[in-house]
Amino acid sequence: MRQYSAFAVAREALRYHRGWERAWGNPVPRTHYDTLIIGGGGHGLATAYYLAKNHGITDVGVLEKGWLGGGNTGRNTTIIRSNYLQPPSAAIYELSRGLYEELSQQLNFNIMFSPRGVLMLAQTEHEHRAWMRTAHANRLAGIESELVGPERIRELCPIINIEGPRYPVLGGLWQARGGSARHDAVAWGYARAAADLGVDIVQKCEVTAIDRREGRVAGVRTTRGTITCNRLCIVVAGHSGVLAEMAGFRLPIESVALQALVSEPIKPCLDIVVMANTVHGYMSQSDKGEMVIGGGADGFNNYTQRGSFQHVEETVRALVETFPIISRLKMLRQWGGIVDMTGDRSPIISRTPVENLFVNCGWGTGGFKAIPGSGWATASLIANGADDVAGPFSLDRFAVGRMIDESVAAAVAH
Ligand code: FAD
Ligand code: PYC
């Protein structure tokens, strides 16, 4: 693979950009791989990349039923932070945030990481206490975050209505090194770097059945033929329950729509990410000037990738209350993704009842920020059979009651 660089851009400019090669290939799927990954979202692609990069396992196929990043990875609002409460979460999200800082250089692909800072407002006494507890826990875990008061919030975000008609802003949890990145660039960057190391990325290839032999995984049947494998990892977010059923076991996952919308572009007015969880809305401004807006998840299970109308209304009402200057904006577009929710709002990275079949899911409303760390830990679990970071997120926690409760840190109403 040729390096992307300023020189490459200059060279191509001189020859009408005719010399760029494909970022990744379009291989016909082979009939056997050592390791198969189902799902070409950020987590599946990052897992493939770190299998090759960290463990030298390159006989890997990634099977994606649609296009890369066409699931939640390309539908999310790109918030990156690591200010979670419990030690296992702090470990994986901070690993991830740290990897994001270097990812453009590591992948030689500009993922437009923008550490602009993430502010989570406290608009009730209860929320204020919760963030105070999180700030203490973060300090113990070595994560930089701080509790800030209304004056500092006014400086960080002049457009905020501090007095608030219903919920005045009492303070907030500020993570200065949080931020955002370009979501589909993360998928494309991992895909390109993994393909360069020998991984086959196969799009338009839906897995329709999972074959087992004597309790072990044997392979998959797909819309492009049968493929055998030694190891299989299911990384399909909202469709995890469907794939687990194909393999003969059940997951403690519910699939619900989470939606987002963007406004028409306006001049720069917000240079941080703000989450107002009491009123159920959050907002940032994209490089194009659009206000990127989201709220809580839908209240019923479904697979529609749309979201319900009343949620748009509720979210916008909450944000107009918090940022009155957006009241005259027009909505440009709206979309939804199907998120995979666990009861404790923490992910599952685990072996399964089927030998050599692994699962990575349950990221719910918050897995974009986790892509690098999750891929790193999942690759290590697959390669070595165990991993310290992934360990606490194993499936058996639901059987023995070792929950990792992140319902507050998840920060999106469910
Ligand atoms: P996906 O990106 O969904 O990838 C799974 C892939 O599996 C899909 O491409 C799908 O086509 C494929 N697949 C499914 N079934 C099959 C099959 N049978 N065969 C082959 N392929 C199959 N997280 C944050 O950290 N910050 C945010 O600000 C944030 N905002 C969000 C806003 C919205 C509106 C949504 C919907 C989500 C948000 N999230 C956020 C959550 C985040 O997007 C997800 O947790 C993350 O993208 C999950 O990545 P993934 O790779 O696991 O899943
Ligand atoms: O996990 O920070 C998050 C998040 C914000 C919006 C959706 N998820």
Side-chain angles (χ1 to χ4, degrees):
M1 178 177 69
R2 267 208 222 124
Q3 284 284 304
Y4 289 159
S5 66
F7 296 113
V9 172
R11 184 192 62 225
E12 290 307 322
L14 294 175
R15 52 180 182 178
Y16 301 99
H17 294 279
R18 290 206 191 99
W20 296 114
E21 56 197 357
R22 287 186 73 106
W24 54 87
N26 185 20
V28 173
R30 298 206 303 267
T31 53
H32 178 85
Y33 288 90
D34 173 64
T35 306
L36 273 180
I37 292 169
I38 310 175
H43 290 262
L45 292 164
T47 301
Y49 170 73
Y50 291 118
L51 273 171
K53 177 84 183 165
N54 293 357
H55 305 282
I57 299 173
T58 55
D59 184 7
V60 177
V62 178
L63 308 180
E64 164 54 49
K65 74 174 175 184
W67 64 94
L68 299 186
N72 294 343
T73 298
R75 293 166 183 270
N76 74 86
T77 44
T78 74
I79 298 174
I80 296 170
R81 57 187 176 85
S82 60
N83 51 0
Y84 281 64
L85 181 66
Q86 312 287 354
S89 325
I92 195 162
Y93 289 107
E94 179 62 7
L95 168 67
S96 209
R97 197 202 53 74
L99 289 169
Y100 261 124
E101 288 195 336
E102 311 268 302
L103 204 57
S104 293
Q105 291 77 10
Q106 172 75 220
L107 299 179
N108 180 228
F109 199 99
N110 186 2
I111 62 146
M112 298 167 75
F113 179 58
S114 161
R116 60 184 68 179
V118 177
L119 177 65
M120 297 162 85
L121 301 179
Q123 290 175 283
T124 62
E125 288 293 345
H126 178 81
E127 203 173 21
H128 197 254
R129 274 199 302 274
W131 291 152
M132 196 183 294
R133 185 179 173 207
T134 304
H136 290 318
N138 286 171
R139 197 166 309 124
L140 288 172
I143 292 171
E144 283 176 43
S145 81
E146 59 179 310
L147 203 63
V148 291
E151 278 317 307
R152 177 80 175 116
I153 290 176
R154 237 189 272 270
E155 284 167 22
L156 288 167
C157 184
I159 63 169
I160 215 162
N161 180 10
I162 291 277
E163 308 310 330
R166 283 193 297 162
Y167 296 104
V169 175
L170 306 176
L173 185 65
W174 169 239
Q175 185 168 31
R177 294 175 77 91
S180 70
R182 170 82 192 261
H183 47 19
D184 37 22
V186 173
W188 299 336
Y190 274 119
R192 176 169 172 269
D196 189 47
L197 293 171
V199 171
D200 272 4
I201 313 263
V202 187
Q203 299 181 75
K204 295 189 188 150
C205 180
E206 180 170 0
V207 172
T208 53
I210 294 177
D211 293 327
R212 288 163 289 158
R213 200 169 305 122
E214 293 165 6
R216 290 175 66 93
V217 71
V220 295
R221 270 171 272 162
T222 80
T223 47
R224 297 180 68 178
T226 297
I227 309 174
T228 59
C229 64
N230 303 330
R231 294 176 285 205
L232 177 67
C233 188
I234 299 173
V235 200
V236 295
H239 287 80
S240 301
V242 178
L243 272 291
E245 198 176 336
M246 289 181 197
F249 62 92
R250 296 187 68 199
L251 286 171
I253 292 276
E254 293 194 39
S255 294
V256 298
L258 179 69
Q259 59 182 309
L261 58 117
V262 291
S263 74
E264 59 190 324
I266 54 174
K267 288 194 173 158
C269 65
L270 178 64
D271 62 1
I272 62 170
V273 180
V274 187
M275 303 186 71
N277 306 321
T278 292
V279 294
H280 299 164
Y282 61 89
M283 192 162 83
S284 62
Q285 188 167 23
S286 76
D287 297 338
K288 287 181 282 183
E290 300 161 342
M291 305 312 286
V292 181
I293 291 173
D298 272 21
F300 38 84
N301 298 356
N302 71 96
Y303 288 100
T304 57
Q305 293 203 127
R306 270 201 303 269
S308 56
F309 182 71
Q310 72 267 24
H311 247 87
V312 178
E313 197 183 10
E314 190 185 308
T315 303
V316 171
R317 195 172 53 218
L319 288 176
V320 167
E321 179 179 323
T322 318
F323 307 96
I325 71 154
I326 67 163
S327 66
R328 308 283 293 273
L329 287 184
K330 293 188 182 66
M331 183 174 94
L332 200 62
R333 56 182 190 279
Q334 172 273 353
W335 65 91
I338 302 304
V339 297
D340 40 340
M341 310 288 292
T342 58
D344 61 0
R345 308 307 184 217
S346 286
I348 299 169
I349 307 177
S350 184
R351 294 164 166 279
T352 69
V354 181
E355 206 178 321
N356 284 352
L357 173 51
F358 302 85
V359 68
N360 173 321
C361 64
W363 294 99
T365 60
F368 176 70
K369 68 175 79 61
I371 286 172
S374 156
W376 185 288
T378 308
S380 162
L381 174 66
I382 295 171
N384 306 320
D387 177 74
D388 286 348
V389 174
F393 298 103
S394 63
L395 260 176
D396 66 355
R397 78 175 188 271
F398 298 98
V400 301
R402 188 179 28 80
M403 302 309 177
I404 306 169
D405 184 355
E406 292 293 4
S407 42
V408 175
V412 172
H414 323 97

